Amino acid sequence: MSDQFKALILNQEGENFSREVKSIDKSFLKHGDVTVKVDYSDLNFKDGMILKNGGRLVKEFPHIPGIDFSGKVIDSENSKFNEGDEVILTGFRVGEIFFGGYSQIAKVNADFLVKKPESLTTKEAMILGTAGFTSLMSAFAIQARESILLGEKVNDVLVTGATGGVGSVAIMALTKMGYNVSAVTGKDSKSDYLTSLGAKNIINRAEFDKDPRPIDKGLWDGVVDTVGGKILANAIAQTKSNGIISVCGNANSNELNTNLLPFMLRGIKVWGMDSANCSIKRRGFIWGEAKNLIDFDLLEKSVLTVSLEELIETYPKILKGEISGRVLVDLNK
Ligand SMILES: NC(=O)c1ccc[n+]([C@@H]2O[C@H](COP(=O)([O-])OP(=O)(O)OC[C@H]3O[C@@H](n4cnc5c(N)ncnc54)[C@H](OP(=O)(O)O)[C@@H]3O)[C@@H](O)[C@H]2O)c1
């Protein structure tokens, strides 16, 4: 590769917000001590917000967004990494306050990087990305009901925002763990897709998007909620005794109006997910388990692969809830 490479650059001057694919050189990269030739990045909900207008997350412009990437180390000033190491980056506010992965070359702090396990390719790592990683974190949180509660078996799990990046991978991982997964979706037309991922039961979102009862019939041993609002409040009211609810997203709302009965009468646990600041040790464990829980041949069928230029056309769809599955960004496309 010549000294010049392609990156998606955001800029804000007064009222004008711009996003353009430009040719830059390494002198543009101002953070970090490890330089990576990026193979793949992806599109997460947070990327969508940043691409729209900085999402109140980007503090300085010009900026290179992209909260995830995978690729090969080409230069390292840090003894933890050597040239040729294959690495995965998700979160740690890369793409927000640090330059991110929508760039053929990225430079980041060595403390943010995970060595890619042999079992995954760089492409598979970004088919998962932050969304899939969060799904796996959530699946292990639900499974912890069995270990924390010394053997109480998880049977029935609810996943909301089911066709989204987090929801779809969660359905697959939870099914692989042996659980019966029910999927809440606003997209009737995607029932076959959700069934192919493993969902046993498809529920129309409207059934959950209403005022909840203080406590309802207990149906779920675990819930992975990616949307918040009334949908989460209903899921809480329907969680069985000692159930665990992974709260990981706010695609519907940041609000949660609930009451204490499900907590006091059923001992349910609400477990918040923060994939961006998860420890490197936990990241290593989760990436290492990915191959056991994900059927990449199946997942890949619902992946849309885009170039940086095509990403600019595609990103508004994730903010409108119109994406099913994952969007992979191929930096060599
Ligand atoms: N905590 C963390 O570390 C973490 C990490 C990654 C993502 N997240 C968050 O998790 C959420 C999902 O992320 P994602 O990447 O899966 O996004 P996504 O691909 O856009 O999926 C979100 C899904 O939620 C549903 N949805 C969208 N708008 C909705 C609305 N107004 N009301 C109810 N449901 C709606 C849609 O699924 P259906 O049409 O099937 O209902 C949509 O596909 C986002 O809020 C994201 O910020 C958090």
Side-chain angles (χ1 to χ4, degrees), residues 159-331:
V159 175
T160 66
T163 65
V166 178
S168 53
V169 178
I171 292 171
M172 187 179 268
L174 290 159
T175 301
K176 196 87 177 187
M177 285 176 169
Y179 308 145
N180 294 322
V181 180
S182 293
V184 178
T185 182
K187 301 185 188 88
D188 283 341
S189 61
K190 293 290 174 183
S191 296
D192 288 349
Y193 165 61
L194 295 172
T195 306
S196 77
L197 296 176
K200 295 276 186 305
N201 182 22
I202 314 296
I203 304 172
N204 190 295
R205 187 197 292 165
E207 286 186 36
F208 276 76
D209 205 359
K210 58 186 182 194
D211 288 332
R213 299 169 70 177
I215 194 158
D216 214 330
K217 188 172 174 195
L219 298 173
W220 319 113
D221 299 300
V223 176
V224 176
D225 178 63
T226 71
V227 301
K230 285 184 185 173
I231 296 169
L232 172 57
N234 275 290
I236 287 174
Q238 293 181 8
T239 298
K240 287 188 212 168
S241 285
N242 297 314
I244 292 180
I245 299 155
S246 159
V247 171
C248 54
N250 56 357
N252 176 268
S253 170
N254 269 327
E255 303 275 316
L256 174 59
N257 293 315
T258 185
N259 74 97
L260 297 181
L261 293 186
F263 299 88
M264 295 190 307
L265 300 183
R266 291 188 176 152
I268 66 159
K269 290 147 195 69
V270 170
W271 193 337
M273 296 295 132
D274 175 8
S275 62
N277 297 299
C278 174
S279 73
I280 289 289
K281 197 170 174 186
R282 184 128 186 90
R283 285 168 195 261
F285 167 76
I286 288 173
W287 286 117
E289 290 293 315
K291 199 73 178 191
N292 301 328
L293 293 171
I294 302 298
D295 177 346
F296 284 100
D297 290 338
L298 178 56
L299 203 56
E300 215 172 322
K301 287 185 191 154
S302 61
V303 168
L304 172 68
T305 303
V306 297
S307 63
L308 283 180
E309 290 83 359
E310 290 164 335
L311 177 64
I312 293 175
E313 307 300 318
T314 308
Y315 85 86
K317 289 188 183 164
I318 202 162
L319 297 174
K320 293 187 213 149
E322 289 175 3
I323 302 268
S324 299
R326 295 275 296 146
V327 176
L328 183 70
V329 181
D330 182 347
L331 273 298

Side-chain angles (χ1 to χ4, degrees), residues 51-228:
L51 285 166
K52 183 179 175 200
N53 57 14
R56 294 196 186 155
L57 298 164
V58 180
K59 305 295 177 207
E60 277 181 40
F61 295 93
H63 176 70
I64 303 176
I67 67 168
D68 298 339
F69 65 78
S70 60
K72 196 175 268 187
V73 172
I74 52 172
D75 188 29
S76 176
E77 296 155 35
N78 189 298
S79 58
K80 283 191 213 162
F81 291 93
N82 295 310
E83 199 181 324
D85 287 344
E86 290 192 300
V87 290
I88 305 173
L89 178 295
T90 59
F92 285 121
R93 307 206 65 193
V94 169
E96 302 174 38
I97 54 177
F98 305 112
F99 285 175
Y102 295 158
S103 175
Q104 288 180 314
I105 306 278
K107 198 171 177 195
V108 287
N109 187 324
D111 294 341
F112 301 165
L113 290 168
V114 175
K115 280 194 183 147
K116 180 189 74 60
E118 288 284 320
S119 55
L120 289 184
T121 63
T122 53
K123 184 177 178 183
E124 289 169 339
M126 284 300 106
I127 286 176
L128 294 180
T130 281
F133 182 83
T134 306
S135 316
L136 295 176
M137 278 179 84
S138 296
F140 283 112
I142 303 296
Q143 194 185 48
R145 184 175 190 266
E146 296 176 354
S147 47
I148 291 172
L149 300 175
L150 302 177
E152 240 184 72
K153 180 84 182 79
V154 170
N155 291 307
D156 300 305
V157 182
L158 184 74
V159 175
T160 66
T163 65
V166 178
S168 53
V169 178
I171 292 171
M172 187 179 268
L174 290 159
T175 301
K176 196 87 177 187
M177 285 176 169
Y179 308 145
N180 294 322
V181 180
S182 293
V184 178
T185 182
K187 301 185 188 88
D188 283 341
S189 61
K190 293 290 174 183
S191 296
D192 288 349
Y193 165 61
L194 295 172
T195 306
S196 77
L197 296 176
K200 295 276 186 305
N201 182 22
I202 314 296
I203 304 172
N204 190 295
R205 187 197 292 165
E207 286 186 36
F208 276 76
D209 205 359
K210 58 186 182 194
D211 288 332
R213 299 169 70 177
I215 194 158
D216 214 330
K217 188 172 174 195
L219 298 173
W220 319 113
D221 299 300
V223 176
V224 176
D225 178 63
T226 71
V227 301

